[in-house]
Amino acid sequence: MSIPDHIRAIFGFGQGARQSGQAQQRETVRQREREQALRPCIADHATLDTLIAETGYGAFAEDLHRNASACVYFFDLDDAPEAPLGATRFGGLPDLSPGTDWPVSPAGAPLSFLAQIALQDVAETSLPTGLLSFFAGDWDTMDRSFPIRVLHQPTGTPLERRARPVDIDAFDCPHTARLHPIEARIAPGLSFPEYDIDWIGRLETDATDGADYDALEEGLYHRAEVAAGIAR
């Protein structure tokens, strides 16, 4: 699932869901995401070794370890309408320092606030401390290009919850200008090639007798829905 698709899955039913059917759909999505957030991800190479042994993929052990990349997983948890200033979350209103301008597109339209990450939640990385705030424009453009801005506010910077500068209809992408605030949990882990069709195909077709590809795939890709990953 692409990041835009995943964001739509998380927030799509929360944008002014005026009809009861839409509200029920959104709660169904939220319940599924809560359940996924409790599932274990592949946290390290020792966890990967356990999965390899359980699924009978010992012949591919070296290949699987070589294709594993260190990352951090972001799991969305519960609604967070009153999240503390500077907390990691998706959606809602951004926490910005006084005087920081709301990011805009090249045409001057405000970008949608997508998420913020308290970097102290991301353990064992070389990232600086503080808060990262992510903004983006309309990703449904014909040429598939859209403006992105990431702001870094160092630890100790005063923060305020910033109101939207203009009406939603004036944003670069009105459909994503009002995303529902969701609490997020961060965990270190390993990620694997998701779009390398040749590599995935070899895992399935070249497996030895008794190997369980479906269980391997479930372990590698579906123990947790990933909203984003940062390579370490």
Side-chain angles (χ1 to χ4, degrees):
M1 179 182 292
S2 67
I3 290 175
D5 287 343
H6 187 76
I7 292 173
R8 289 190 182 98
I10 297 172
F11 300 118
F13 302 115
Q15 301 173 36
R18 299 180 179 87
Q19 299 179 7
S20 61
Q22 289 178 313
Q24 184 176 0
Q25 283 181 304
R26 179 177 178 277
E27 180 53 33
T28 299
V29 171
R30 294 295 311 121
Q31 182 59 37
R32 177 175 60 84
E33 298 293 342
R34 293 187 192 105
E35 293 171 356
Q36 288 168 339
L38 297 175
R39 298 181 185 180
C41 60
I42 302 298
D44 50 35
H45 285 274
T47 308
L48 177 57
D49 279 331
T50 299
L51 178 66
I52 290 171
E54 291 175 345
T55 57
Y57 266 82
F60 283 84
E62 182 179 349
D63 194 13
L64 286 163
H65 282 285
R66 185 174 58 251
N67 281 279
S69 299
C71 70
V72 289
Y73 286 102
F74 292 82
F75 303 96
D76 63 295
L77 300 177
D78 293 318
D79 293 351
E82 304 296 332
L85 284 174
T88 296
R89 59 180 164 82
F90 298 102
L93 296 172
D95 298 335
L96 301 175
S97 59
T100 297
D101 293 332
W102 189 293
V104 297
S105 70
L111 303 180
S112 300
F113 170 65
L114 301 183
Q116 61 184 36
I117 302 171
L119 292 172
Q120 66 266 24
D121 294 342
V122 186
E124 301 178 8
T125 73
S126 58
L127 295 172
T129 60
L131 186 71
L132 288 182
S133 302
F134 296 81
F135 297 79
D138 186 356
W139 53 60
D140 283 330
T141 55
M142 292 298 293
D143 60 2
R144 306 302 297 169
S145 64
F146 57 94
I148 298 174
R149 286 285 307 280
V150 180
L151 303 182
H152 174 240
Q153 295 161 109
T155 299
T157 302
L159 298 173
E160 62 182 13
R161 191 140 299 163
R162 185 69 59 82
R164 297 177 187 87
V166 296
D167 185 75
I168 287 174
D169 291 339
F171 272 67
D172 189 65
C173 184
H175 298 298
T176 58
R178 184 171 56 196
L179 302 179
H180 195 77
I182 301 293
E183 178 187 2
R185 177 175 71 86
I186 298 176
L190 298 177
S191 63
F192 301 86
E194 191 170 355
Y195 300 105
D196 187 339
I197 304 303
D198 292 338
W199 183 71
I200 294 173
R202 288 197 303 274
L203 290 177
E204 183 173 14
T205 60
D206 297 349
T208 58
D209 290 342
D212 188 341
Y213 172 76
D214 290 337
L216 179 73
E217 183 188 35
E218 173 73 17
L220 296 181
Y221 298 112
H222 302 304
R223 286 189 178 181
E225 285 287 332
V226 182
I230 298 179
R232 292 195 282 143

